Amino acid sequence: MHGFMGKLLAVNLTNGEISTLPLDEAYAQQFVGGASLACRYLFDRIHPDTDPLGPENPLMFMTGPLVGTAAPLCGRYVVCARSPQTGLWGESNSGGRFGPYLRFAGYDGVLFTGRAPHPVYLSIWNGEAALRDARGLWGKDSYETQKAIKDELNVGQLSVACIGPAGENLVKYAAVMNDHGRAAGRTGMGAVMGSKNLKAVAVGGDFQVPLADEARFKDVVQVVTEDIKEDIKGQFLSAGGTASSTDTTMWMGDVPSKYFTVGLWEPVANLGGGTMAETILVGKRACYRCIIGCGRGTTIGGKHATEKIDGPEYETTIAFGSLILSDDLPGAAYAGHLCNVYGLDTISTGATIAFAYYLYDQGIISKADTGGLELTWGDIEPALTLIEQIARREGFGAVLAEGSRYLGRKYGAEDLAVQVNGLEVPLHDPRAFVGMGLVYATSPRGACHNQADMFLVDLGAPVPELDIEIGDRLESSPEKALMTARVMDWRTLYNSLIMCIFCNPVAGFTLNLLNAATGWELEMSDLLPLGERAFNLKRLFNGKLGLTAKNDRLPKLLLQPLPDEDVDTRVPDMDVLLPAFYRVRGWDPQTGMPTPEKLQELGLQDLAL
Amino acid sequence: MHGFMGKLLAVNLTNGEISTLPLDEAYAQQFVGGASLACRYLFDRIHPDTDPLGPENPLMFMTGPLVGTAAPLCGRYVVCARSPQTGLWGESNSGGRFGPYLRFAGYDGVLFTGRAPHPVYLSIWNGEAALRDARGLWGKDSYETQKAIKDELNVGQLSVACIGPAGENLVKYAAVMNDHGRAAGRTGMGAVMGSKNLKAVAVGGDFQVPLADEARFKDVVQVVTEDIKEDIKGQFLSAGGTASSTDTTMWMGDVPSKYFTVGLWEPVANLGGGTMAETILVGKRACYRCIIGCGRGTTIGGKHATEKIDGPEYETTIAFGSLILSDDLPGAAYAGHLCNVYGLDTISTGATIAFAYYLYDQGIISKADTGGLELTWGDIEPALTLIEQIARREGFGAVLAEGSRYLGRKYGAEDLAVQVNGLEVPLHDPRAFVGMGLVYATSPRGACHNQADMFLVDLGAPVPELDIEIGDRLESSPEKALMTARVMDWRTLYNSLIMCIFCNPVAGFTLNLLNAATGWELEMSDLLPLGERAFNLKRLFNGKLGLTAKNDRLPKLLLQPLPDEDVDTRVPDMDVLLPAFYRVRGWDPQTGMPTPEKLQELGLQDLAL
């Protein structure tokens, strides 16, 4: 028993062959599910010469043993491949209903290989899979596509994951969109779909997710649900969405402004969840079996008036807000909506555009480069124009479509791009929570804020099984490195279940849920190694593709002190954090890779590079 | 003065912008032209994260200072980019008329960036460049495409370089085809065109190529032409085509059979230029201003009867002949024709298919893998089927479309693939001429026989400026390493002029031609560094993309002695050759890269990694 449907769908897009791949029990026991399990499948299939946009780059949609069960906050799926944005491990997960519906369709995941001769989409309904002509869908936006497919198939409840024009046009940070405005946004999985002529995947059905002990599972779910309901963070998220804490964290310097050069810009408060609730909010949106519902439904008026739209998330409000010194919340919401429509990651889109504003301000680029656009701090209108240009690869947008690293490089300013290994840094400043510096520098997919939410840990979120003081949010210490590593391992485990990053139940409940679903009868002490093993697997994956210790670095702008006197911030001391992190991880400081002893300990010795 | 038209065309396929880029005089003086000059332009534009099939991979068509002049054997152009086949430096040059016609159109080269929103082609007629809709051409073969474009443009004499279906389908070794059956075959430049939605480039016009001293140039051309006419190798090539020496070199073990496991298979004689002349040959084909005309025109009868077709070349006859133990010359000619039609490199196509035969023979793959095809030694019919499948990425062809390295990897036999850094080894066995072992192991584009034709040098072809004995063809000595390095440097220089690899005039004539064209007034001692500098530039280019000394290796099958008693062969001793080669090159044996001193000597210190 493993809590899985027990089979994956293998789709060869080149010749249209569809077959079933039995779930590898040994892999499941070692890596649980989600991105961790997908990484194990892809590890043998990706090589230094695998072209991220070539037919040979395998693309995997994966769920986990808790997805589609009654457990709260487990309605997620993940998309993985070699990232065209970073050239390294790519993963991005998304909520909504797609993950559960894929399992109700009869499969735990889908492995795509090859490249279809013309645009297609995959449908799986109650165990029946088929590739269908999508030539008529090519060019349609993500909302139109979802609707057109549901209309065409005309069966029961379906969920559709798809790309918009940005994915078709191979924008390096194109997202996979599902369930209206839900996004697997990061690392360009939408571009990989586009390169394969794969427009969408539509899933649904009536299969039941198997559980080792249904009665016991039901009991645990009941307790866990009550526990989460009482969690104050859940209540904040429900009331204010992901932007609920903006008003608090801005005073810590956590909210970047003016392209990461300002730590506190007070109008940021106008972008927070409170303002949103008072102005544009018209409803909440929840993923499958979510009891929080952090998703927002908004309606904006004025120049860019819309019907009810999805979002915006915190990251979106800042990327299209204070990062360009704009406090125009409806504008940021509309920017997020455009990203949803075209299928773009809001973080990378916003941060790349903000970088262009910065370069413009510095005189490094001018109207001659931007196609006549004046990128003036505070004016969101050119940003809206650029989103459309990026998605269509038109004008200056064609340059921005390659991301910040490329944009900087083109103008001799690569060092000024705030990115790590090609992925734009999200909107939590590591000078406010130094642990985030370590997270950004060493995460397997480049600058990632989901690998370990040290900004929450430093605010008091508990770290299971860790018996040290939280310490100061600004102190770069060996203890901080140890804590960061532990949080990464826990997050990696949650990402394999797949459980939402918000409001994870305490570890004991997680253990109970996992045991009741799988029948594995794990002990508490078994959990952390499940995360650590997968974290190291991803590290090996990147090592195979050429990553070394040299890649573990923060961008220059984040290593400069913030000028603000009113907020207490400090530059992370990477000379303290990194060596301590390598030590606690058991990584060789020269190669940056796990030592043979560490690999042995984790049972990964066969994958040594 | 630099012997150039003085400008390049820059084409942004994403937004359709076409502009002129002045030729960089300093680059031209350092790197002359051709692949060397293109590498200097691309060096700053390609990075470890540049996706070979992504819009950001720049693609360059380049000529050189002698192209389109009256100098014989200089009617060539080269296509360069990061190779999707190897992930490293990609270059491939081709004859015909395209190179000269590009200069007559007013440009020395074209730099493509981005990706067109739909299939397009570029036309340049007498200085006027335009991007035109190629949606109606998508799917057409290379002959149809050339004809359709000439019909559509309906101006004067045009030359068209294009891709066939293989390039559209991103086959990793898709060729760029021009002037009927001429091919820039190696390293997958056709796939790069396909990834950019660039179907073709059509060029022509009446511009005159500028010469520093026309009278002097004319004098030199006259003498050089006479000299080449008297060269015995030229006469052989004229009479027998590139397959003219098969009957001779087979007795040295140079002609690989049964996928490189047999050194002498006597029916190979049936594939030689002599047999061809007596059976299927109906005419010769010459490139612009070529006085040899090694190209063949043939007509075959029987099952695959054709009108007059192009080829086959030596490499084609062996790749589709003895490599699968077939001596069916019409069959090999037809295979070559199919490759021309679809736009495929005959070497990589034939060698990848032959590797499949070998795996089949070894029981590593079976009919279950090949889609029912029986890959029996000696039977060319399944190979013909596979060519079509490869071009269309159908059935087993979808696997072969990724090349030998991928094919081996898929079946756990990557070590048995006869390739270096992803490029299939051409049809000259290094166990017959050990210098070729060093060439294959260290050439900038993977296993390449054009970087240094040591099989000809060991047969007596002169090496300018080298005062040592030729030595034994089977002896792995430091002198062999020195000679190989020198020949590489000369070939690199010739490739920058661009002068055909066959029948290069003696160095003194080359010097005179170059000086009369450019007005540079170089000395004999200036020539070799021009080649060495560019060879090292390509090495740095690859180093930037991750290549190290570990990449310099021969495949396992070529390190096993040949079983034949009747031919004298020996495995190259790489433990002798490589260290000596690094020494003479001034390369660090640890990193495999040029030492700071060598870079200083060549004026490349600014490009140090």
Side-chain angles (χ1 to χ4, degrees):
Chain A
M1 198 55 207
H2 44 51
F4 278 100
M5 312 301 289
K7 56 183 181 177
L8 305 167
L9 195 70
V11 180
N12 180 330
L13 290 164
T14 301
N15 61 17
E17 267 180 28
I18 298 178
S19 55
T20 295
L21 197 66
L23 183 84
D24 188 310
E25 292 266 353
Y27 284 2
Q29 298 223 6
Q30 271 197 300
F31 301 102
V32 186
S36 306
L37 183 55
C39 189
R40 184 61 193 86
Y41 275 96
L42 297 184
F43 190 90
D44 303 327
R45 291 169 165 87
I46 292 182
H47 303 271
D49 58 313
T50 300
D51 193 317
L53 296 177
E56 78 275 22
N57 191 14
L59 172 74
M60 200 156 199
F61 284 62
M62 186 63 96
T63 65
L66 298 187
V67 174
T69 67
L73 297 148
C74 291
R76 301 187 78 79
Y77 74 104
V78 67
V79 196
C80 305
R82 184 175 193 179
S83 163
Q85 187 177 10
T86 67
L88 300 171
W89 170 246
E91 69 170 89
S92 194
N93 73 39
S94 175
R97 310 184 151 257
F98 184 89
Y101 280 29
L102 174 55
R103 304 194 83 195
F104 302 161
Y107 293 92
D108 299 307
V110 187
L111 175 62
F112 291 100
T113 56
R115 175 175 183 257
H118 60 71
V120 297
Y121 74 91
L122 175 74
S123 67
I124 320 178
W125 176 253
N126 265 329
E128 290 291 323
L131 283 172
R132 295 168 189 273
D133 194 342
R135 278 177 285 199
L137 299 172
W138 211 244
K140 283 197 195 297
D141 75 36
S142 75
Y143 289 88
E144 293 166 349
T145 302
Q146 294 177 51
K147 182 169 186 323
I149 289 177
K150 287 177 185 174
D151 288 349
E152 177 173 296
L153 294 177
N154 193 22
V155 285
Q157 288 275 309
L158 281 173
S159 175
V160 178
C162 69
I163 55 172
E168 296 174 9
N169 293 329
L170 310 183
V171 175
K172 285 293 189 300
Y173 41 86
V176 180
M177 305 298 302
N178 62 283
D179 300 293
H180 306 290
R182 291 282 146 194
R186 309 231 70 192
T187 70
M189 296 298 101
V192 178
M193 281 183 73
S195 75
K196 297 190 163 323
N197 270 329
L198 178 64
K199 179 68 176 171
V201 183
V203 295
D206 309 309
F207 283 87
Q208 292 250 324
V209 173
L211 294 168
D213 187 333
E214 286 193 39
R216 184 172 152 210
F217 194 83
K218 198 172 162 191
D219 285 350
V220 184
V221 166
Q222 201 161 32
V223 185
V224 170
T225 305
E226 289 309 312
D227 183 62
I228 292 177
K229 275 186 185 158
E230 287 170 16
D231 187 291
I232 186 77
K233 183 153 69 89
Q235 292 170 29
F236 269 123
L237 283 164
S238 181
T242 51
S244 60
S245 313
T246 311
D247 309 16
T248 311
T249 54
M250 62 183 272
W251 294 106
M252 298 174 171
D254 184 53
V255 184
S257 298
K258 207 179 179 185
Y259 199 59
F260 300 94
T261 61
V262 166
L264 172 63
W265 183 63
E266 294 200 29
V268 151
N270 299 328
L271 298 165
T275 308
M276 202 185 310
E278 292 160 11
T279 56
I280 59 176
L281 190 74
V282 292
K284 297 180 194 178
R285 299 206 158 151
C287 300
Y288 180 83
R289 293 241 173 198
C290 176
I291 52 182
I292 295 175
C294 72
R296 306 288 95 173
T298 53
T299 308
I300 54 182
K303 190 172 172 186
H304 302 293
T306 62
E307 301 287 306
K308 186 172 171 186
I309 60 174
D310 292 291
E313 304 279 339
Y314 164 77
E315 298 284 336
T316 311
T317 61
I318 304 309
F320 290 103
S322 57
L323 217 55
I324 55 167
L325 287 189
S326 161
D327 66 343
D328 177 354
L329 180 59
Y334 186 66
H337 175 62
L338 287 179
C339 288
N340 290 344
V341 164
Y342 290 115
L344 284 165
D345 177 36
T346 61
I347 299 175
S348 286
T349 306
T352 302
I353 290 174
F355 184 36
Y357 276 66
Y358 177 77
L359 292 174
Y360 190 90
D361 179 61
Q362 298 282 308
I364 296 171
I365 63 173
S366 69
K367 282 207 281 186
D369 303 298
T370 65
L373 289 174
E374 290 186 49
L375 305 182
T376 313
W377 292 123
D379 180 10
I380 197 175
E381 291 301 326
L384 300 176
T385 304
L386 285 173
I387 295 171
E388 308 212 36
Q389 286 188 1
I390 288 168
R392 300 206 176 99
R393 278 195 179 272
E394 288 172 356
F396 190 46
V399 176
L400 304 189
E402 297 295 321
S404 310
R405 181 165 61 181
Y406 180 90
L407 172 61
R409 185 184 286 155
K410 184 172 168 75
Y411 295 103
E414 185 174 342
D415 60 329
L416 298 178
V418 179
Q419 53 81 24
V420 178
N421 293 321
L423 196 73
E424 284 72 20
V425 171
L427 290 317
H428 291 285
D429 201 305
R431 289 162 293 190
F433 298 100
V434 296
M436 290 309 295
L438 202 45
V439 175
Y440 292 150
T442 64
S443 285
R445 67 174 186 179
C448 163
H449 65 301
N450 293 334
Q451 201 65 54
D453 40 353
M454 288 300 289
F455 56 100
L456 291 176
V457 170
D458 276 334
L459 288 172
V463 181
E465 297 273 283
L466 189 71
D467 198 18
I468 56 173
E469 289 292 312
I470 293 176
D472 191 281
R473 66 182 171 95
L474 302 180
E475 194 190 335
S476 297
S477 64
E479 290 74 22
K480 182 77 71 184
L482 171 62
M483 198 177 317
T484 304
R486 285 296 155 266
V487 178
M488 287 169 146
D489 293 343
W490 280 112
R491 284 298 176 223
T492 302
L493 172 63
Y494 293 148
N495 279 335
S496 68
L497 296 172
I498 303 171
M499 191 181 281
C500 177
I501 191 170
F502 299 136
C503 280
N504 293 147
V506 296
F509 289 147
T510 305
L511 180 70
N512 289 338
L513 283 173
L514 191 56
N515 279 338
T518 62
W520 287 343
E521 297 308 333
L522 301 169
E523 309 279 331
M524 264 304 284
S525 58
D526 295 326
L527 289 188
L528 201 60
L530 287 172
E532 188 184 7
R533 182 180 299 120
F535 192 89
N536 278 275
L537 174 70
K538 293 174 189 174
R539 185 76 175 180
L540 289 172
F541 186 102
N542 283 336
K544 188 172 168 181
L545 299 180
L547 176 135
T548 68
K550 287 185 192 163
N551 290 68
D552 300 335
R553 49 142 208 80
L554 283 184
K556 188 167 128 183
L557 288 192
L558 297 185
L559 294 172
Q560 296 174 354
L562 283 164
D564 318 79
E565 287 178 8
D566 289 342
V567 292
D568 202 11
T569 58
R570 206 179 305 159
V571 170
D573 187 342
M574 299 305 280
D575 293 336
V576 169
L577 291 169
L578 271 176
F581 184 77
Y582 282 14
R583 215 157 38 239
V584 61
R585 278 252 171 259
W587 288 358
D588 181 326
Q590 294 305 313
T591 65
M593 287 297 128
T595 58
E597 296 71 33
K598 175 54 76 175
L599 292 178
Q600 189 78 37
E601 177 196 325
L602 296 169
L604 293 175
Q605 62 277 8
D606 293 349
L607 304 181
L609 300 180
Chain B
M1 199 55 207
H2 42 52
F4 278 100
M5 312 302 288
K7 56 183 183 177
L8 306 166
L9 195 71
V11 180
N12 181 331
L13 290 164
T14 301
N15 60 17
E17 267 180 27
I18 298 179
S19 54
T20 295
L21 198 66
L23 183 83
D24 187 311
E25 292 267 350
Y27 284 1
Q29 298 224 7
Q30 271 196 301
F31 300 102
V32 185
S36 307
L37 183 55
C39 189
R40 185 61 193 85
Y41 275 97
L42 297 184
F43 191 89
D44 303 326
R45 291 170 165 86
I46 293 181
H47 303 271
D49 58 312
T50 301
D51 193 317
L53 296 178
E56 78 276 23
N57 191 14
L59 172 72
M60 199 157 200
F61 284 62
M62 185 62 95
T63 65
L66 298 187
V67 173
T69 68
L73 296 148
C74 292
R76 300 186 80 79
Y77 73 105
V78 67
V79 196
C80 304
R82 184 175 192 178
S83 163
Q85 187 176 11
T86 66
L88 301 171
W89 170 245
E91 69 169 88
S92 194
N93 73 39
S94 175
R97 311 185 150 257
F98 184 89
Y101 280 29
L102 174 54
R103 303 194 83 196
F104 302 161
Y107 292 94
D108 300 308
V110 186
L111 176 62
F112 291 101
T113 55
R115 176 174 182 257
H118 61 71
V120 296
Y121 74 92
L122 174 74
S123 66
I124 320 178
W125 176 252
N126 265 331
E128 290 291 324
L131 283 172
R132 295 167 188 274
D133 194 342
R135 278 176 284 199
L137 300 172
W138 211 243
K140 282 199 196 298
D141 75 36
S142 75
Y143 289 88
E144 292 166 350
T145 302
Q146 294 177 50
K147 182 169 185 322
I149 289 178
K150 287 178 185 174
D151 289 349
E152 177 174 296
L153 293 178
N154 193 24
V155 286
Q157 289 275 310
L158 281 173
S159 175
V160 177
C162 69
I163 55 171
E168 296 174 10
N169 293 329
L170 310 184
V171 175
K172 286 293 190 299
Y173 41 86
V176 180
M177 306 297 302
N178 62 284
D179 301 293
H180 306 289
R182 291 282 146 193
R186 309 230 72 192
T187 69
M189 296 298 100
V192 178
M193 281 183 72
S195 75
K196 297 190 164 321
N197 270 330
L198 178 65
K199 179 69 176 172
V201 183
V203 294
D206 309 309
F207 283 86
Q208 292 249 324
V209 174
L211 294 168
D213 186 336
E214 286 196 37
R216 184 172 153 210
F217 194 82
K218 199 173 161 190
D219 285 350
V220 184
V221 166
Q222 201 162 32
V223 185
V224 171
T225 306
E226 288 310 311
D227 183 62
I228 291 176
K229 275 185 187 160
E230 286 169 18
D231 187 291
I232 186 77
K233 184 154 68 86
Q235 292 170 31
F236 268 124
L237 284 164
S238 181
T242 51
S244 60
S245 312
T246 310
D247 309 16
T248 311
T249 53
M250 62 183 273
W251 294 104
M252 298 174 170
D254 184 54
V255 184
S257 298
K258 207 180 179 183
Y259 199 59
F260 300 94
T261 62
V262 167
L264 173 63
W265 183 62
E266 293 199 30
V268 151
N270 299 329
L271 297 166
T275 308
M276 201 186 309
E278 291 161 11
T279 56
I280 59 177
L281 189 73
V282 292
K284 297 181 194 177
R285 298 205 160 153
C287 300
Y288 180 82
R289 293 244 172 193
C290 175
I291 52 183
I292 295 174
C294 71
R296 307 286 94 174
T298 53
T299 308
I300 55 181
K303 190 172 174 186
H304 302 294
T306 62
E307 301 287 306
K308 187 173 171 184
I309 61 174
D310 293 290
E313 303 280 339
Y314 164 77
E315 297 284 337
T316 311
T317 61
I318 304 309
F320 290 103
S322 56
L323 216 56
I324 56 167
L325 287 188
S326 162
D327 67 343
D328 177 353
L329 180 58
Y334 186 67
H337 174 63
L338 287 179
C339 289
N340 290 343
V341 164
Y342 289 115
L344 284 165
D345 176 36
T346 61
I347 299 175
S348 285
T349 307
T352 302
I353 291 174
F355 183 37
Y357 275 67
Y358 177 77
L359 292 174
Y360 190 91
D361 180 60
Q362 299 281 309
I364 296 170
I365 63 173
S366 70
K367 282 206 283 186
D369 304 297
T370 65
L373 289 174
E374 290 186 48
L375 305 182
T376 314
W377 292 124
D379 181 9
I380 197 175
E381 291 301 326
L384 300 176
T385 303
L386 286 173
I387 295 171
E388 309 211 33
Q389 287 188 0
I390 289 168
R392 300 205 177 99
R393 279 195 179 271
E394 289 173 355
F396 190 45
V399 177
L400 303 190
E402 297 295 321
S404 310
R405 181 165 61 181
Y406 180 90
L407 172 62
R409 185 184 286 156
K410 184 172 167 76
Y411 295 104
E414 185 174 342
D415 60 330
L416 298 177
V418 179
Q419 53 80 25
V420 178
N421 293 322
L423 195 73
E424 284 73 20
V425 171
L427 291 316
H428 292 285
D429 200 305
R431 291 162 292 190
F433 298 100
V434 296
M436 290 309 295
L438 202 46
V439 175
Y440 291 151
T442 65
S443 286
R445 68 174 185 178
C448 163
H449 65 302
N450 293 333
Q451 200 66 52
D453 41 352
M454 288 300 291
F455 55 101
L456 291 176
V457 170
D458 275 335
L459 288 173
V463 182
E465 298 273 284
L466 189 72
D467 199 18
I468 57 174
E469 289 292 312
I470 294 177
D472 191 282
R473 67 183 170 95
L474 302 180
E475 194 188 336
S476 298
S477 62
E479 290 75 23
K480 182 76 72 185
L482 171 62
M483 198 176 320
T484 303
R486 287 296 156 265
V487 178
M488 287 169 146
D489 293 342
W490 281 111
R491 284 298 176 223
T492 302
L493 173 62
Y494 292 148
N495 279 337
S496 67
L497 297 172
I498 304 171
M499 192 181 282
C500 177
I501 191 170
F502 298 136
C503 280
N504 292 147
V506 296
F509 289 147
T510 305
L511 179 70
N512 289 338
L513 284 174
L514 190 57
N515 279 339
T518 62
W520 287 342
E521 297 309 332
L522 302 169
E523 309 279 330
M524 266 303 285
S525 58
D526 296 326
L527 289 187
L528 201 60
L530 287 173
E532 189 184 8
R533 181 180 300 121
F535 192 90
N536 279 275
L537 174 70
K538 294 174 189 174
R539 185 75 176 182
L540 289 173
F541 186 103
N542 283 336
K544 188 172 168 181
L545 299 180
L547 177 135
T548 67
K550 285 186 193 162
N551 290 68
D552 300 334
R553 50 141 208 78
L554 283 184
K556 187 167 129 182
L557 287 192
L558 297 185
L559 293 172
Q560 295 175 353
L562 284 163
D564 318 79
E565 287 178 6
D566 290 343
V567 291
D568 203 10
T569 58
R570 206 179 305 160
V571 170
D573 187 342
M574 299 305 279
D575 294 336
V576 169
L577 291 170
L578 271 177
F581 184 77
Y582 282 14
R583 215 157 37 238
V584 61
R585 279 251 171 259
W587 287 358
D588 180 325
Q590 294 306 313
T591 65
M593 286 296 128
T595 58
E597 296 71 33
K598 174 55 76 177
L599 292 178
Q600 189 76 36
E601 176 195 325
L602 296 170
L604 295 175
Q605 62 277 7
D606 292 348
L607 305 181
L609 300 179

